Each structure stands twice: as structure tokens, then as C-alpha cells.
């Protein structure tokens, strides 16, 4: 009771305090509004409304603050609530109408009722409704409203403003100016009139006059948000960034989170090349992109400059969707598509631009790049020729044309344009390089050497011409002169990566690995993050078998350039080759979306997922890969493997058939189809595939093993053994050895197979498949103790191996039934539907005298394999142990009548005799 009373007193005290705080918040807000401190006012009013959310005055004041700072969406919401809470309609409705008009909510504005409003507020509402009608294209209604209002209030400044806007919308700027003159004669301090005059003058491109008008409006409507914004934007357009920044600072001080203020500040950052800051500011405008559509364009370009391709793509696509006629929008999206390798999209985006402006240099160059990369050399040359004609004095244009001609095997014509470029700009090094490459392409070594020497003489302090000259001497078969040139480069810069690389490669040609490492070490001393050098060192590590150093160098390269793909790809291939597929996925996690969708990344990831038996993940990855490479037999084969992993047998065959349809000579898929046909007893299909495989790859070990299986099927055991032996000799492996051993055993020579297994395991002790084959051979030949040793060895390396668990349980079921039961249960956990495993579990449970469990599990085994003689015998054995002699006797009689030979026939006959006595 006392506790509840204290709580009530506390709550009452807080409520009383809250009342005082509410009024203090509102009072402080009103003071801040008077000083145009809108951020502070907003904070105070929000605090007040947390205490009394239903206060009409606070809602009204907050709506006005939002209206004055240009946040029209928030203003509309607060003013609507103020109206609903009962604040004065004469104040709220004109303000709400203004907010709706600014947001383009014309229908809602026209629905506002002016019933009961005084003359001036009503005139203001009608004037804005006229502007709303105008916004909807209903000129007739707009004129009617204006005329109607002017008839009753001829000097209503709000209506005159509406009339001026109507005339301006009709592009009758002279008449609109006349109305503004009339309005200003009535009220020379009417801020909106001066603001509209600024709009009209800006439209007439009288920018100085517009700036003066906006400044006059601002002197009358101190720090009016809209006029500050327009003046800042105009100053930006005129290049007066200092004045624009002053206005932006005022805008931000009024409302630092407002999209308009941040739009101006973002553009200023963008113009200054501060792209990260531009992104921060412009991101504040993204939600208001309908009001500031260009914000998406500048955000896209800023992200592109910061190499944030994924974000840039999304923004550029949104901007293009909202403004499809924007030439600049098409160009920036085309630039992105070029980086993404989507050449047709570049052409589609820019064709309308070139249709309307055939001489647009940027559009021509972008389209040319796409055409050349798509292999459409002639079309690209045509456009580059046009650019060169449009820019006859541009060394770059001439060089680009020459480079394209080289691609099109038009070297003689290319030389003319490259030499023209050098005449226009002797310092334009790319032209020199292309000229040398052209002569090398034609194998004209004297001309290439002469051109490279000329280039070097023009740039004696640059390493590039020395390196080019050295490479020319190399190709010309003059290694001593090449050495001299590369050493000349190192004399200028001893850590130069290119010169050291060339010298390292020359050392490797002499098998001097230590010398090559020294050159690369010199590069790293000056360029510790040189990714190409680190990769070359990794290649040397691989050559010398130093896997630890290889991984270390590739990881260092990955850290040096986090966006680089090459070290990640090499590492992924290394891990796959070394049987460490689980380490592949993490290599690609930090890549951007574009890189993650690259075919080689997807392929390696899918291979890793298949290797880790994550078939469903592999399917998803391969589906993405098939979007870009649907006609790859290899990928179709991988998809078949993934389908097999999830048990989709229908798709397995479909994908394999697609693979061989794409490439008739693709052996892996034909092998898989042959194996499926053999398993499903499709003799004709098996024979068809085997014939094709024999013609395609007669010495392939798997083809030989399939031929061995066919021979065995015909009863020709000697031929089967001979073919399997040939496969093993061609490609010694666990698979070929166990197949060879199987056919030896089938031919009545298990001891020979055993010796081969034992010999192989001495050299390959970790080969589990061969050890299992060896153990099964021993077990089949009653060598149980030796078999048990082999199964124990397997379980030490692979504790979950079902075959070893099952067979070991069977071997020791009588000597150690408790241990056997543990093995059998572990096997059943991993293979709960295997008839053989369930049978072993039932017999081991029988050995442990757990007959009821044994009965349940033998029934499950027989459900999966109802005709297996040994399992039928075990069911009779268990029934007898449960004292169900009639059932046991009936089962045994039926079993022995149907089967004359099975491993336990003697035991079955003995049990029946025992039951009959």
C-alpha cells in the first residue's frame, strides 16, 4: 500500500512538472522563431508535443516552422493535425494550401473548403487553388477562380500573385511583369512579388536582375527559405561559389537536415571535387528526389568517382527512370554500363542522344568504346573518324582513331593518325607507345627500335620509354641491348616495377630464381603494396613448392588492394587444388556485387560449394552463372552435379544431356550419362554412350573401366580384369586400383587384390577408399581380425564412415556386443534408411538380447529390401528369440523353399530343425 501511494505521488509530481515544461518549451520555441532560429524552434516544439501531443497551438507552430524552412511534406502533416485539433482556420488553411501547392498535391488543395474564412484568408486560398488548377492543366478553372476573386477583392495581393503566375505559366512574361508592377505599386514591400519577379527574370536569363530581385525579396522576407535557395542555386549556376556558400550556410543554420539546404551544400562540395562530402550532403536529399531530381544524378556521379559502382548504378538507374530525356543522365548510366561490360546497353542508351545531337563528342566516345569492346571494329572506326573530324586539333582524338585502326588490322592507316597526334602534341606519350606497338605488330623491328629510341630521346628522364625500348629489343632478339635499356630505367628509378619485372623474367629464363627474387624485392622496397609484384613472388613460391609463402604473398596482395580480384582468384584455385574448399567463400565476401557476379568468381564458388557438399548453395550460384554463360557444357555439368547433391535425378540427366548437346566431345558428361544408364539398366543407352566415349577418349581410365564393366556384364571376366589393369597402369589412383581389385576378386584371385591393396597403402596410408576395399576383402575371406584392424584405422581418420562403422559392428558383434552396438547405432544415425545398416543394427541388438528393438529394425530393413535372404533369416532368428516359434518356422520354410544358396543357409536349416523338434 505504502509503495503504491508513493508511486502515485511521484506520478502527480511529474505530471505537474510536465505542465510547466510544456509551456516553457512553447515559449522558447516562439522566441527562436522570432529570431529565425528554426532548428532550435523545432527541437523545443517536439519536446512540447512529447508532453502534450494533442496541443493545437504547438502543432500549428511546428507546421509553420516546417513551412518557413521549406519542409513542405512535414509542414502539411502538422498543419492538417493543427486544423483537426481546432486551431484557427483563417491561419491554418492558407498555410496548409501553400504546403500542398509546393508538394504538387493539387487535388487535395482544390478540395480544401474556404467556408467561414474571412476575406483575406479566403482570397489567399482561392489564389492558391487557382495555381493548383493551373498545375493540373485546368487553365480555364484557374482563370475563373482568379477573375471571381478579383471581382470581390481587386487589390488582393495573393490573387494578383496568382494571376502573375498564371500569365507566366502561359509564357506571357510581359503581361506577368505588368501584373507584378501593379502589385508592387500597391505594396512595394510584398516579398512574394519580388520573388516571382526573380523567377521571371531568371527564366528570361537576366541573371543579374534575378539576383537583385531575390535579394530584394530577402530584405523584405528576412531569410526566406525559398528565396535563399533560389539565390544560392543561381549563384552556383553563375560560378559565384563564395556567395552560394554564404546562402548555403544560412540555409543549414536554419534547418541543417533539410534536403534543400543539403542539396545546395552537396553541389558546392561536388563542384570542389569533395565527393565524399558531397555524398554525405546529397544523401539527405535522396528521400526528396521528386523535389530535387538532379540530386540523384550528382549522387550517382559522386559515388562513381568514389568507385562505389553498385550504389552509383542504382542511383543512375533511378535518375534515368525519373528523367529519361536527360542527356547527362543517359551518359552517366552509359559510363556505368561500360564499366560493367554491358556493351549493347551503352549503345541503346546513347543512340537517342546521337540521333538528336550527332556531334556529341562524349556520347560518340562512349559508344565507340562499347563498339570496339564488343568487337564491332568497323562501326567503332566510323564514329572515331567522325570525332577526329570534329576535333582536328586534338592529339587524343587522332590517337584513339589510330589505336582503333590497329585493332582492326589497319596498321598503315593507323600510323598516319598517330604521327599526326605527335605533330599536334609531341609530349603525348600514348601516341609514341602506339606507334612502337604498331611496328612490333608488323614485326618491323628496325622501325620499332627507331620509334622507341625517338620516344626515349624526347623523354630522357622518364622510365617508360626505357622500358618500352627494352621490350622492343627483347622481341627483336637482342637481350644485351634489352638489359642495357632496363638498367637505364633503373638508373632513373631503382624500384621501378616494370623494369624490375622485365629483368626478373630474363633471370627466370636462365632459371635464376634467386636473381628474379632480388629484382622483385627491389620493387617491394620502394613499392611495398605492389600487387603485381606480390603475385609474381607467389608464382615463384608455387614454382618452388613453398605453399606457406605463396599464401602469405597472395594475402599481402589482397590487403594491398582490397578491390583487386586476381589474388583472390589465385588463392581460390589454390585452396580447391589442395582440398580446402571451405576457405574459398570467404575470399569473395567483401567484393562488390558486380565482382561477385563475374563468371570466374561464380564458377570457383560453385566448385567450392560442390566440394563441401553444399549442393543447394551450388545450385543457386550456378543459376546465376548460367545467366551470363548459358552455353557452357562445363557449367551444365556442374549443375548436374549440384542436382545430384539435392536428389533431383530428373534434372541431373537433363543438364548432362544439355552439356553434350552443347559440346558433343565433352567427356565428363558422357561418362556420367553412361554410368547412369548402367545403374538404371538402360542397356541400349549405355552401349551408345560407351561407343562414343571409346571413339572420343579410348585411353581415358574411366572409359576403360566402363568397358571393363561391359565385359563383366557379358561374363568375360578376363577381359574386364585386363581393361581395369590397363586403366590402373595409365592412371594409378584409389578409384582405378579398387576397380582392378574388384575384377581380380571376381576372377577368383582375392589374394592378388589383397597384395596390391597392401602395397599401395604402404605408400598412401591416408587413402581411405583403398583401405576400405582392403578391409572388405579381408572380411570377405574370413580374415576378421585383420579386417578389424583396417576398419579401426579408417575410423581414426574418419569417425563417421558408415561402411567402417557397420562392418566393424558386424565383425565384433559376438566378442564385444556392447561396443558393436555403439558402432551400429552411429552408422544408423548417419544412414537411417540403409537396409544393410538397419540389418546390422538388428543383429547386433539381437546379440545384446534387445529382441524388441531388433524386431523393429529388421522390419525396417525388410521394408527397404524385402527379398534379401540373409535379412529374412535374421527376422526368423529374432522371432524365435521372442518365442514366436510359428512365425519363425513359417518364415524359414518359405525362405528355404525359395533359396538354395545364401551365406547363412546352414544356420537357417539348423534353426528350422531346432524349431521342429
Amino acid at each position: 500500500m505504502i509503495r503504491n501511494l508513493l508511486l502515485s505521488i511521484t506520478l502527480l509530481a511529474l505530471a505537474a512538472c510536465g505542465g510547466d515544461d510544456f509551456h516553457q518549451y512553447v515559449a522558447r520555441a516562439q522566441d527562436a522563431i522570432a529570431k529565425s532560429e528554426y532548428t532550435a524552434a523545432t527541437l523545443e516544439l517536439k519536446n512540447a508535443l512529447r508532453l502534450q501531443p494533442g496541443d493545437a497551438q504547438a502543432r500549428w507552430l511546428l507546421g509553420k516552422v516546417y513551412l518557413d524552412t521549406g519542409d513542405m511534406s512535414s509542414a502539411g502533416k502538422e498543419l492538417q493535425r493543427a486544423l483537426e485539433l481546432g486551431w484557427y482556420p483563417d491561419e491554418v488553411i492558407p498555410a496548409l494550401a501553400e504546403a500542398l501547392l509546393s508538394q504538387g498535391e493539387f487535388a487535395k488543395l482544390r478540395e480544401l473548403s474556404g467556408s467561414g474564412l474571412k476575406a483575406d484568408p479566403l482570397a489567399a486560398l482561392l489564389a492558391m487553388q487557382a495555381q493548383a488548377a493551373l498545375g493540373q492543366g485546368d487553365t480555364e478553372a484557374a482563370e475563373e477562380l482568379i477573375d471571381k476573386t478579383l471581382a470581390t477583392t481587386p487589390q488582393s495581393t495573393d490573387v494578383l500573385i496568382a494571376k502573375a503566375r498564371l500569365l507566366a505559366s502561359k509564357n506571357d512574361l510581359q503581361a506577368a511583369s505588368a501584373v507584378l508592377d501593379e502589385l508592387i505599386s500597391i505594396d512595394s514591400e510584398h516579398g512574394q512579388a519580388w520573388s516571382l519577379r526573380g523567377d521571371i527574370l531568371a527564366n528570361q536569363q537576366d541573371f543579374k536582375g534575378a539576383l537583385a530581385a531575390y535579394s530584394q525579396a530577402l530584405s523584405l522576407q528576412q531569410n526566406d527559405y525559398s528565396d535563399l535557395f533560389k539565390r544560392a542555386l543561381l549563384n552556383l549556376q553563375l560560378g559565384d561559389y563564395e556567395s552560394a556558400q554564404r546562402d548555403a550556410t544560412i540555409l543549414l543554420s536554419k534547418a541543417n537536415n533539410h534536403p534543400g539546404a543539403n542539396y545546395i551544400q552537396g553541389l558546392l562540395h561536388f563542384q570542389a571535387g569533395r565527393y565524399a562530402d558531397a555524398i554525405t550532403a546529397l544523401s539527405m536529399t535522396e528521400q526528396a528526389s521528386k523535389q530535387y531530381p538532379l540530386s540523384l544524378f550528382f549522387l550517382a556521379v559522386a559515388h562513381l568517382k568514389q568507385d562505389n559502382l553498385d550504389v552509383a548504378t542504382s542511383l543512375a538507374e533511378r535518375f534515368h527512370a525519373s528523367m529519361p530525356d536527360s542527356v547527362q543522365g543517359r551518359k552517366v548510366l552509359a559510363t556505368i554500363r561500360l564499366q560493367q561490360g554491358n556493351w549493347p546497353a551503352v549503345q541503346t542508351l546513347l543512340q537517342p542522344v546521337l540521333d538528336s545531337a550527332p556531334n556529341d563528342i562524349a556520347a560518340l566516345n562512349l559508344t565507340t568504346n562499347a563498339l570496339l569492346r564488343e568487337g564491332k571494329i568497323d562501326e567503332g572506326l566510323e564514329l572515331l573518324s567522325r570525332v577526329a573530324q570534329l576535333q582536328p586539333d586534338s592529339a587524343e582524338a587522332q590517337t584513339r582513331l589510330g589505336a582503333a585502326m590497329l585493332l582492326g588490322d589497319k596498321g598503315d592507316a593507323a600510323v598516319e593518325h598517330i604521327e599526326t597526334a605527335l605533330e599536334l602534341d609531341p609530349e603525348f606519350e600514348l601516341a609514341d607507345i602506339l606507334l612502337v606497338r604498331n611496328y612490333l605488330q608488323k614485326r618491323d623491328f628496325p622501325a620499332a627500335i627507331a620509334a622507341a629510341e625517338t620516344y626515349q630521346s624526347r623523354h630522357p628522364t622518364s622510365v617508360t620509354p626505357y622500358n618500352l625500348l627494352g621490350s622492343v629489343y627483347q622481341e627483336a632478339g637482342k637481350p644485351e641491348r634489352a638489359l642495357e635499356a632496363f638498367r637505364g630505367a633503373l638508373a632513373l628509378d631503382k624500384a621501378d616495377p616494370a623494369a624490375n619485372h622485365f629483368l626478373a623474367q630474363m633471370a627466370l629464363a636462365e632459371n635464376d630464381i634467386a636473381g628474379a627474387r632480388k629484382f622483385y624485392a627491389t620493387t617491394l622496397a620502394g613499392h611495398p603494396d605492389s600487387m603485381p609484384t606480390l603475385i609474381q613472388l607467389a608464382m615463384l613460391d608455387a614454382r618452388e613448392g613453398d605453399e606457406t609463402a605463396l599464401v602469405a604473398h597472395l594475402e599481402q596482395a589482397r590487403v594491398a588492394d582490397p578491390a583487386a580480384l586476381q589474388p583472390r582468384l589465385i588463392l581460390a584455385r589454390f585452396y580447391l587444388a589442395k582440398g580446402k574448399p571451405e576457405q574459398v567463400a570467404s575470399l569473395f565476401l567483401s567484393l562488390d556485387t558486380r565482382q561477385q557476379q563475374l563468371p570466374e568468381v561464380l564458377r570457383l564458388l560453385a566448385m567450392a560449394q560442390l566440394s563441401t557438399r553444399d549442393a543447394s548453395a551450388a545450385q543457386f550460384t550456378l543459376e546465376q552463372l548460367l545467366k551470363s554463360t548459358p552455353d557452357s557444357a562445363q557449367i551444365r555439368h556442374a549443375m548436374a552435379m549440384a542436382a545430384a547433391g539435392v536428389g533431383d535425378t530428373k534434372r541431373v540427366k537433363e543438364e548432362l544431356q544439355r552439356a553434350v548437346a552443347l559440346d558433343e566431345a565433352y567427356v565428363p558428361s558422357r561418362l556420367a550419362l553412361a554410368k547412369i544408364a548402367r545403374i538404371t539398366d538402360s542397356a541400349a543407352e549405355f552401349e551408345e554412350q560407351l561407343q562414343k566415349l571409346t571413339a572420343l577418349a579410348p585411353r581415358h581410365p574411366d572409359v576403360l573401366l566402363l568397358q571393363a564393366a561391359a565385359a563383366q556384364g557379358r561374363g568375360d571376366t578376363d577381359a574386364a580384369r585386363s581393361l581395369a589393369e590397363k586403366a590402373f597402369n595409365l592412371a594409378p589412383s584409389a578409384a582405378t586400383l579398387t576397380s582392378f581389385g574388384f575384377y581380380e576378386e571376381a576372377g577368383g584371385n582375392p589374394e592378388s587384390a589383397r597384395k596390391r591393396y597392401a602395397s599401395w597403402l604402404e605408400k598412401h596410408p591416408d587413402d581411405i577408399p583403398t583401405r576400405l576395399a582392403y578391409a572388405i576383402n579381408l572380411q570377405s575371406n574370413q580374415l576378421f581380425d585383420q579386417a578389424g584392424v583396417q576398419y579401426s584405422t579408417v575410423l581414426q581418420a574418419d569417425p563417421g564412415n558408415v561402411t567402417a562403422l557397420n562392418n566393424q559392428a558386424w565383425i565384433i558383434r559376438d566378442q564385444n556386443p556392447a561396443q558393436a552396438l555403439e558402432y551400429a547405432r552411429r552408422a544408423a544415425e548417419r544412414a537411417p534408411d540403409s537396409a544393410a545398416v538397419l540389418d546390422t543394427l538388428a543383429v547386433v541388438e539381437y546379440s545384446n538380447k534387445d529382441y524388441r528393438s531388433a524386431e523393429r529394425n529388421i522390419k525396417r530393413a525388410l521394408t527397404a529390401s524385402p527379398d534379401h535372404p540373409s535379412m529374412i533369416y535374421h527376422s526368423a532368428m529374432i522371432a524365435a528369440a521372442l518365442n514366436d516359434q510359428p512365425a519363425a518356422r513359417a518364415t524359414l520354410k518359405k525362405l528355404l523353399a525359395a533359396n538354395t544358396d545364401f551365406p547363412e543357409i546352414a544356420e537357417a536349416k539348423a534353426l528350422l530343425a531346432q524349431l521342429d523338434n
Side-chain angles (χ1 to χ4, degrees), residues 124 127 131 155-162 164-165 179-198 213-214 216-221 227:
Q131 293 179 59
Q155 292 193 321
S156 168
T157 54
D158 289 324
V159 181
L160 288 170
I161 280 285
R165 290 191 192 282
V179 172
L180 287 176
D181 288 341
E182 180 186 351
L183 193 160
I184 290 170
S185 69
I186 295 169
D187 181 3
S188 62
E189 296 187 353
H190 195 290
Q192 286 188 46
W194 287 105
S195 179
L196 181 55
R197 171 157 283 176
Y214 289 140
Q216 178 65 17
L218 284 164
S219 70
L220 298 168
Q221 302 174 135
D227 290 328

Side-chain angles (χ1 to χ4, degrees), residues 130-159:
Q131 293 179 59
L134 191 62
Q136 290 181 312
D138 193 349
T139 308
E140 186 177 338
E143 289 179 345
E144 185 179 336
L145 280 167
I146 290 168
D147 292 343
K148 178 183 174 182
T149 311
L150 284 174
T152 55
T153 52
Q155 292 193 321
S156 168
T157 54
D158 289 324
V159 181

Side-chain angles (χ1 to χ4, degrees), residues 398-687:
Q398 295 292 334
T399 303
R400 280 170 56 82
L401 178 56
M405 286 181 168
L406 289 177
L407 281 174
D409 292 327
K410 299 179 180 179
D412 292 337
V415 170
E416 179 184 343
H417 292 284
I418 295 169
E419 288 178 341
T420 299
L422 288 170
E423 289 173 10
L424 290 167
D425 183 1
E427 300 300 309
F428 195 63
E429 294 188 47
L430 180 58
D432 276 307
I433 294 168
L434 284 173
L435 190 61
V436 173
R437 289 299 174 197
N438 172 57
Y439 290 130
L440 283 177
Q441 187 174 309
K442 294 192 297 184
R443 313 302 289 172
D444 186 348
F445 295 119
I449 292 170
E453 288 176 340
T454 301
Y455 173 34
Q456 187 272 324
S457 66
R458 269 205 301 269
H459 301 276
T461 59
S462 170
V463 295
T464 304
Y466 281 99
N467 287 328
L468 181 60
L469 182 58
S471 66
V472 171
Y473 280 132
Q474 269 190 313
E475 288 198 44
K478 299 183 177 183
E480 293 302 321
R481 297 298 301 274
L483 273 172
E484 183 183 335
F486 293 136
R487 285 169 180 160
L490 293 182
L492 294 170
D493 178 4
K494 67 178 182 180
D496 178 63
N500 278 304
H501 172 68
F502 281 125
L503 290 167
Q505 293 301 305
M506 292 178 78
L508 287 174
E510 300 294 325
N511 205 31
D512 183 4
I513 296 176
R517 283 189 180 279
K518 286 180 182 178
F519 286 117
Y520 287 129
T522 303
T523 296
L524 286 181
H527 306 278
D529 293 334
S530 172
M531 189 192 71
T533 303
L534 291 165
I535 288 175
Q536 289 299 325
L537 283 168
M539 296 303 98
L540 292 181
D541 297 331
R543 187 167 172 170
E544 294 186 305
D546 190 344
E547 294 178 2
T548 303
L550 179 147
V551 172
H553 278 127
L554 290 174
E555 287 291 353
Q556 190 180 345
R558 191 156 70 103
V559 172
D561 187 352
L565 198 56
Q566 191 180 6
R568 296 170 191 268
L569 294 175
I570 297 171
L571 271 171
R573 295 186 195 109
F574 170 78
Y575 287 136
L576 283 172
K578 292 298 174 181
K580 299 177 181 179
E582 68 282 353
Q583 299 195 44
V584 171
S586 61
L587 294 170
F588 303 136
L589 285 176
S590 61
L591 295 177
D592 62 40
T593 304
R594 178 186 63 84
Q595 289 177 308
Q596 288 181 347
Q597 294 300 310
L598 290 171
E600 184 60 7
V601 172
L602 290 171
R603 189 188 70 79
L604 289 169
L605 182 59
M607 293 303 103
Q609 290 163 337
L610 286 171
S611 298
T612 56
R613 303 185 187 280
D614 191 353
S616 58
Q619 272 192 316
F620 177 76
T621 303
L622 289 165
E623 290 287 4
Q624 297 176 75
L625 181 54
L626 283 171
K627 291 176 185 176
S628 60
T629 49
D631 299 331
S632 166
Q634 293 90 336
I635 296 168
R636 290 292 176 185
H637 184 81
M639 182 60 87
M641 293 167 62
V646 297
D648 188 349
T649 53
K650 181 183 177 184
R651 187 166 187 185
V652 171
K653 194 165 184 180
E654 287 174 352
E655 294 293 350
L656 291 172
Q657 288 171 336
R658 285 192 184 113
V660 296
L662 289 166
D663 183 357
E664 290 189 0
Y666 189 62
V667 170
S669 290
R670 288 211 177 274
L671 282 168
L673 284 168
K675 290 173 184 176
I676 291 171
R678 179 170 169 245
I679 292 168
T680 57
D681 294 324
S682 303
E685 187 178 347
F686 173 72
E687 188 59 35

Side-chain angles (χ1 to χ4, degrees), residues 11-224:
L11 290 173
L12 285 170
L14 287 172
C17 247
D20 291 341
D21 286 345
F22 170 79
H23 293 298
Q24 290 170 7
Y25 285 139
V26 173
R28 286 198 293 268
Q30 288 173 319
D31 287 342
I33 291 169
K35 298 173 184 175
S36 296
E37 296 172 353
Y38 294 117
T39 301
T42 301
L43 181 62
E44 298 291 353
L45 288 168
K46 285 184 176 180
N47 284 332
L49 286 166
R50 270 196 287 272
L51 296 174
Q52 294 190 31
D55 186 82
Q57 182 191 19
R59 292 288 174 193
W60 153 249
L61 288 171
L62 185 56
K64 277 288 289 174
V65 167
Y66 284 138
L67 191 69
D68 291 343
T69 57
D71 188 350
M72 298 303 178
S73 176
S74 300
K77 292 173 186 175
E78 294 299 335
L79 292 168
Q80 184 65 48
R81 293 196 65 184
L83 187 64
E84 292 166 357
L85 290 167
W87 196 251
Y88 307 109
D90 282 342
E91 292 185 353
V92 179
I93 288 180
L96 179 57
E98 185 180 345
L100 292 173
L101 183 65
S102 295
Q103 293 178 81
E105 299 280 1
F106 303 132
K108 289 183 181 178
L109 170 53
R110 293 181 74 179
E111 289 171 4
L112 287 178
S113 171
S115 177
L117 293 181
K118 294 177 182 177
D120 287 343
L122 179 59
L125 172 63
L126 292 173
M128 281 183 276
Q129 286 179 328
Q131 293 179 59
L134 191 62
Q136 290 181 312
D138 193 349
T139 308
E140 186 177 338
E143 289 179 345
E144 185 179 336
L145 280 167
I146 290 168
D147 292 343
K148 178 183 174 182
T149 311
L150 284 174
T152 55
T153 52
Q155 292 193 321
S156 168
T157 54
D158 289 324
V159 181
L160 288 170
I161 280 285
K163 186 174 182 178
R165 290 191 192 282
L166 173 64
L167 292 166
S169 72
K170 294 179 176 181
N171 210 30
D172 190 349
L173 301 183
Q174 187 174 354
S177 295
V179 172
L180 287 176
D181 288 341
E182 180 186 351
L183 193 160
I184 290 170
S185 69
I186 295 169
D187 181 3
S188 62
E189 296 187 353
H190 195 290
Q192 286 188 46
W194 287 105
S195 179
L196 181 55
R197 171 157 283 176
D199 294 345
I200 291 172
L201 291 170
N203 188 272
Q204 294 172 320
Q205 297 194 348
D206 181 358
F207 300 129
K208 286 187 178 180
L211 280 173
Y214 289 140
S215 295
Q216 178 65 17
L218 284 164
S219 70
L220 298 168
Q221 302 174 135
Q222 190 174 21
N223 289 342
D224 178 81

Side-chain angles (χ1 to χ4, degrees), residues 340-363:
Q340 293 172 330
N342 190 347
W343 325 129
V346 176
Q347 297 162 55
T348 301
L349 281 164
L350 295 177
Q351 192 56 55
V353 177
L354 292 173
D355 288 343
S356 59
N359 296 336
D360 187 313
I361 300 296

